[in-house]
């Protein structure tokens, strides 16, 4: 997630950039840096840790200038140390870049730069490649060199660039990562997000995918991929600072729901190499060690435990190892059967949930190998684990977990497939098929968000209900649990999730006229059975809202309402199916006038037993 900021004008670039970076703190970061162009020389300062560390480094008056770029980094490629912090310089120190996103083909570019230009890399990042690439193409025209460099890059990026030889400009370019340019008086700005600029200007240009921007003190020119000048309307921002942090959304929960396509892409793409092979950074288990595992425990709380339910299905299917999913609050009180052939997977967004942490310690004592899935870099769970696979969801501020959940699912797919390959269990064509399905996920998640208007209208009809049931089969059971939790925590409606086949063993007694059933029917293999379950509850005069894959028309005939998600393989459906459920919970809570981002009695991180 992290953020970039740029300034060009007559004032102090350093001051503006530091203020801008502080306003982007909510995006999360673990190091920060600034590069300035002063009299044809690039000055660079960067530090790991909080922005105050950078402020100390940039404190002296001789470190200032009228043009510069800055960055807050959240470690992905390489650890959060000074060397990996941005900006990065070209080998001759005359080009500086800041970058948000992922350069997917950076290894290929890196070896090309090493081989053909003898470049020695100073960091472990993918981003450093960009500085060298621009420098290789640089013949005195920064915008031309940047254009040539991005034509070689694949991935997602928002990049800011300065060149020592062109102190009168900043060049920026964007693809699948947010970027705006701000219009000042005698100066102009660049940033990842509006809050960074609110103290300075409210007039901005939204930069679109594929566009390249030339910023001087007096003008901002936007070009498309063919270098044709683009005309863009100025957007005047009327939000206050608090609203701007929410990116114009009314609540963090909604913003975070909408950030899911990007968060999924971040979590996924960094772990796939050119050939579509999974590389689990932060996981050091060898092929032999993967092979020795004879049991997996997935342990977590709340939403993270629902991700664990999906993880069980995935690991058993792709890696052929039996998996138990346990609530962390139960695990250590029941003498779990753990030994040195057990892999303990702890899932925690915050990495500070005490029950999960204590369960992890207990498993460690009993000899298990500890692998955690965490969203917060350097958190307690991450630090106490043998291996960590980070979800790159960016900070999750709303108490109700949304993007952390979907990125936990992505991480579990990666672990299951990688484990299956290391153990020689998953067939190669199956592995490839699922990787392709995963790669299509960010776009499909984006398409799923389009269900919002339909769901908002449904919420208007159902928000007065005092009880809602969620049912599903197979992997839809976990989705039903998570959908139900989402609804109850933000709307305070008494909701209940159950495997559809269990209904007739008791719960069916609760059905009365117009009892609302949300039916998850995304599993092709169980589709017919779900149709029967719908008939079963309809016969008792329940009201049915179904969630199905596009193209499944029969379900619309038997349901009162149907929400469609894009076509996808059954195993992938849980990631898409939860999105409309999050949106439903959000709109019902909004209509009931709940404190959506901070529901009563709940805390974001539960550090007590
Ligand atoms: C629900 C929710 C909680 C958390 C649970 C675990 O929306 O957010 O159920 O999932 O408290 O928290 P972490 O993942 O931080 O360990």
């Amino acid at each position: 997630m992290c953020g970039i900021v740029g300034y060009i004008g007559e004032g102090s670039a350093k001051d503006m950039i530091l203020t801008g970076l502080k306003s982007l703190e909510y995006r999360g970061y673990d190091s920060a840096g600034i590069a300035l162009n002063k009299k044809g020389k690039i000055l660079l300062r960067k530090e790991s840790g909080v922005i105050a560390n950078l402020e100390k480094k940039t404190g002296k008056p001789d470190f200032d200038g009228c043009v510069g770029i800055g960055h807050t980094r959240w470690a992905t490629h390489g650890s959060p140390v000074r060397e990996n912090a941005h900006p990065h310089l070209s080998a001759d120190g005359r080009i500086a870049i800041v970058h948000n996103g992922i350069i997917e083909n950076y290894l290929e570019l890196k070896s090309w730069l090493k081989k053909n230009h003898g470049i020695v890399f100073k960091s472990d990042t993918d981003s450093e490649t960009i500085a060298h690439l621009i420098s290789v193409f640089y013949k005195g025209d920064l915008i031309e060199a940047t254009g040539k460099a991005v034509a070689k890059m694949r991935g997602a990026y928002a990049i800011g660039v300065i060149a020592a030889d062109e102190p009168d400009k900043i060049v920026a370019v964007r693809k699948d990562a947010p970027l705006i340019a701000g219009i000042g008086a005698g100066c102009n700005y660049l940033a990842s997000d509006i809050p960074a600029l609110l103290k300075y200007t409210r007039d901005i240009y939204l930069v679109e995918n594929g566009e390249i921007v030339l910023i001087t003190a007096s003008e901002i020119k936007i070009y498309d991929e063919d270098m044709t000048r683009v005309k863009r309307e100025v957007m005047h921002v009327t939000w206050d600072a608090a609203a701007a942090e929410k990116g114009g959304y009314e609540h963090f929960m909604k913003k975070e729901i909408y950030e899911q396509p990007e968060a999924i892409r971040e979590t996924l793409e960094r772990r796939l190499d050119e050939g579509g092979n999974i590389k689990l950074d932060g996981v050091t288990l060898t092929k032999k060690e993967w092979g020795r595992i004879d049991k997996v425990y997935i342990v977590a709380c709340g939403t993270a435990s629902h991700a664990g339910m999906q993880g069980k299905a995935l690991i058993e299917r792709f890696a052929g190892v039996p998996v138990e999913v346990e609530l962390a609050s139960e695990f250590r009180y029941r003498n779990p059967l753990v030994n040195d052939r057990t892999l303990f997977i702890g899932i925690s967004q915050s990495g500070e949930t005490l029950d999960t942490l204590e369960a992890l310690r207990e498993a460690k004592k009993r000899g298990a190998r500890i692998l955690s899935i965490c969203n917060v870099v350097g958190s307690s769970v991450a630090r106490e684990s043998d291996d960590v696979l980070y979800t790159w969801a960016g900070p999750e501020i709303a108490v109700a977990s949304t993007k952390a959940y979907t990125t936990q699912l992505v991480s579990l797919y990666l672990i299951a497939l990688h484990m299956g390959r290391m153990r020689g269990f998953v067939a190669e064509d199956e592995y490839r098929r699922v990787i392709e399905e995963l790669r299509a996920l960010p776009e499909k998640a984006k398409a799923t968000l389009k269900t919002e208007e339909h769901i908002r209208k449904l919420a208007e009809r159902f928000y007065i209900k005092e009880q809602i049931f969620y049912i599903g089969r197979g992997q839809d059971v976990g989705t039903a649990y998570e959908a139900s939790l989402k609804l109850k925590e933000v709307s305070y409606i008494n909701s209940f999730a159950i495997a559809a086949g269990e209904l007739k063993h008791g719960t069916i007694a609760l059905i009365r006229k117009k009892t609302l059933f949300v039916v998850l029917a995304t599993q092709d293999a169980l589709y017919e059975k779900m149709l029967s379950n719908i008939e079963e509850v309809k016969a008792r005069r329940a009201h049915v809202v179904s969630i199905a894959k596009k193209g499944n028309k029969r379900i619309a005939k038997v349901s009162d309402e149907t929400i469609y998600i894009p076509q996808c393989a059954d195993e992938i459906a849980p990631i898409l199916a939860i999105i409309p459920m999050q949106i439903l919970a959000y709109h019902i809570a909004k209509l009931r006038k709940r404190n959506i981002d901070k529901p009563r009695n709940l805390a974001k991180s539960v550090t007590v037993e």
Side-chain angles (χ1 to χ4, degrees):
M1 291 288 144
C2 34
I4 71 176
V5 175
Y7 171 86
I8 182 159
E10 290 187 345
S12 161
K14 172 184 77 179
D15 291 349
M16 185 273 144
I17 292 169
L18 280 170
T19 309
L21 292 180
K22 278 186 215 161
S23 314
L24 291 180
E25 276 181 327
Y26 66 92
R27 290 178 74 88
Y29 74 104
D30 45 41
S31 63
I34 299 180
L36 303 171
N37 186 334
K38 195 169 180 186
K39 295 186 186 145
K41 260 188 150 176
I42 304 268
L43 307 181
L44 180 72
R45 298 282 187 282
K46 47 192 196 176
E47 264 318 304
S48 59
V50 293
I51 293 176
N53 297 350
L54 177 68
E55 265 177 311
K56 263 185 230 149
K57 281 274 158 140
T58 56
K60 293 202 181 116
D62 63 336
F63 182 79
D64 209 350
C66 302
V67 51
I69 48 178
H71 188 268
T72 43
R73 174 175 191 257
W74 201 42
T76 55
H77 287 54
S79 52
V81 296
R82 191 185 164 280
E83 292 69 36
N84 291 332
H86 297 210
H88 291 287
L89 296 183
S90 58
D92 60 5
R94 300 199 63 77
I95 305 275
I97 67 100
V98 285
H99 164 229
N100 276 355
I102 323 149
I103 305 304
E104 284 163 21
N105 58 337
Y106 84 102
L107 286 176
E108 182 192 301
L109 294 171
K110 212 166 163 175
S111 65
W112 182 80
L113 287 161
K114 275 184 189 162
K115 198 165 148 216
N116 294 293
H117 298 276
I119 290 180
V120 179
F121 281 75
K122 294 197 173 119
S123 75
D124 307 317
T125 65
D126 52 338
S127 308
E128 189 187 344
T129 320
I130 304 167
H132 297 304
L133 212 53
I134 295 175
S135 167
V136 161
F137 292 120
Y138 188 66
K139 302 279 178 290
D141 184 344
L142 188 58
I143 196 162
E144 188 192 335
T146 306
K148 284 188 175 163
V150 294
K152 290 216 165 272
M153 290 164 13
R154 280 201 306 282
Y157 43 78
I159 301 168
V161 197
I162 56 172
D165 296 326
E166 293 177 83
D168 58 341
K169 65 182 67 154
I170 302 175
V171 170
V173 59
R174 147 176 202 195
K175 184 178 163 276
D176 292 330
L179 188 68
I180 58 168
I183 308 162
C187 60
N188 283 311
Y189 308 93
L190 177 74
S192 293
D193 257 352
I194 292 169
L197 302 187
L198 274 187
K199 282 206 178 99
Y200 303 94
T201 181
R202 287 179 171 268
D203 291 328
I204 60 155
Y205 291 117
L206 298 174
V207 181
E208 302 287 349
N209 261 346
E211 289 177 346
I212 186 157
V213 192
L214 176 66
I215 305 176
T216 65
S218 58
E219 62 182 342
I220 298 172
K221 291 182 182 166
I222 305 177
Y223 300 90
D224 67 13
E225 268 152 309
D226 304 322
M227 289 309 286
T228 306
R229 184 96 183 257
V230 176
K231 205 169 155 358
R232 178 73 26 87
E233 294 288 312
V234 175
M235 175 178 161
H236 183 73
V237 179
T238 51
W239 314 324
D240 60 19
E245 270 197 10
K246 294 182 195 137
Y249 292 99
E250 204 178 333
H251 298 97
F252 278 109
M253 182 179 177
K254 177 132 179 231
K255 174 173 182 265
E256 288 158 8
I257 288 172
Y258 271 77
E259 280 172 348
Q260 288 178 110
E262 194 193 332
I264 291 169
R265 190 191 310 276
E266 290 259 348
T267 302
L268 186 66
E269 291 294 344
R270 288 176 190 276
R271 277 59 188 253
L272 295 178
D273 74 7
E274 283 301 284
N277 303 302
I278 295 168
K279 296 217 305 232
L280 297 181
D281 52 306
V283 179
T284 55
L285 280 129
T286 60
K287 194 170 180 178
K288 195 166 158 210
E289 285 167 334
W290 282 114
R292 264 196 92 239
I293 294 163
D294 64 5
K295 181 176 190 179
V296 176
Y297 266 107
I298 304 183
V299 179
C301 303
T303 287
S305 75
H306 300 150
M309 289 173 73
Q310 306 291 1
K312 171 180 168 73
L314 299 169
I315 293 174
E316 290 185 343
R317 167 154 184 193
F318 296 126
V321 182
V323 182
E324 284 202 41
V325 185
E326 282 261 4
L327 294 171
S329 52
E330 294 291 321
F331 179 80
R332 72 195 144 114
Y333 299 115
R334 61 162 208 87
N335 198 14
L337 298 175
V338 172
N339 61 34
D340 68 348
R341 298 188 70 171
T342 307
L343 177 67
F344 175 100
I345 303 181
I347 310 176
S348 177
Q349 185 284 131
S350 62
E352 300 298 344
T353 303
L354 190 66
D355 280 323
T356 309
L357 195 58
E358 290 293 350
L360 177 159
R361 288 174 181 152
E362 182 62 34
K364 204 172 191 175
K365 240 192 276 163
R366 292 170 186 245
R369 175 85 177 216
I370 313 291
L371 163 60
S372 63
I373 299 175
C374 265
N375 195 42
V376 178
V377 177
S379 56
S380 306
V381 168
R383 277 186 280 115
E384 297 195 27
S385 300
D386 299 310
D387 304 279
V388 187
L389 189 66
Y390 283 110
T391 44
W392 297 120
E396 194 180 60
I397 292 164
V399 165
S401 190
T402 52
K403 60 180 181 169
Y405 175 72
T406 40
T407 53
Q408 283 161 359
L409 293 184
V410 170
S411 307
L412 286 160
Y413 284 93
L414 293 170
I415 291 171
L417 284 168
H418 182 69
M419 188 172 181
R421 200 182 220 190
M422 290 296 116
R423 297 170 64 86
F425 186 84
V426 65
E428 193 57 20
D429 53 348
E430 172 87 331
Y431 179 91
R432 298 269 157 220
R433 180 186 64 79
V434 183
I435 295 285
E436 283 321 303
E437 286 276 348
L438 288 171
R439 283 212 146 128
L441 256 178
E443 285 310 311
K444 289 186 182 176
K446 237 188 233 171
T448 310
L449 289 169
K450 297 212 171 94
T451 54
E452 181 178 0
E453 191 45 28
H454 180 192
I455 294 169
R456 192 188 59 73
K457 287 193 183 132
L458 291 181
E460 277 174 2
R461 282 168 50 202
F462 299 129
Y463 80 96
I464 39 164
K465 295 267 176 206
E466 284 310 326
Q467 179 166 258
I468 300 184
F469 290 88
Y470 291 81
I471 57 169
R473 284 173 182 262
Q475 284 188 254
D476 278 333
V477 178
T479 310
Y481 275 67
E482 175 54 11
S484 166
L485 178 63
K486 222 68 322 171
L487 180 80
K488 73 174 70 132
E489 69 180 320
V490 295
S491 73
Y492 316 155
I493 291 178
N494 178 18
S495 70
F496 188 78
I498 184 166
E502 273 292 292
L503 265 182
K504 57 184 163 303
H505 298 290
T507 307
I508 205 162
L510 294 172
I511 305 180
R512 288 188 301 183
K513 191 176 170 192
K514 295 222 180 314
T515 300
L516 181 59
F517 269 76
V518 178
V519 177
L520 288 133
T522 70
Q523 303 292 296
D524 291 346
L526 297 161
Y527 184 59
E528 296 290 333
K529 294 222 178 301
M530 285 312 299
L531 291 179
S532 307
N533 284 120
I534 295 174
E535 299 286 2
E536 186 177 59
V537 299
K538 287 287 296 177
R540 280 139 190 104
R541 295 191 294 169
H543 201 93
V544 170
V545 175
S546 296
I547 321 301
K549 287 187 213 158
K550 221 176 181 155
N552 286 346
K553 298 218 174 80
R554 276 171 60 204
I555 198 159
K557 290 206 179 102
V558 290
S559 310
D560 296 288
E561 296 285 344
T562 307
I563 300 166
Y564 285 113
I565 60 166
Q567 266 297 339
C568 60
D570 281 7
E571 317 86 284
I572 301 296
I575 298 190
L576 299 175
I578 194 60
I579 295 174
M581 301 292 87
Q582 297 164 343
I583 297 174
L584 182 67
Y586 172 81
H587 278 291
I588 288 181
K590 193 172 156 196
L591 287 159
R592 290 171 78 107
K593 300 198 181 349
R594 301 308 189 207
N595 187 354
I596 295 183
D597 285 335
K598 287 198 177 100
R600 69 181 177 209
N601 307 337
L602 292 176
K604 185 66 187 158
S605 153
V606 185
T607 52
V608 289
E609 255 194 82

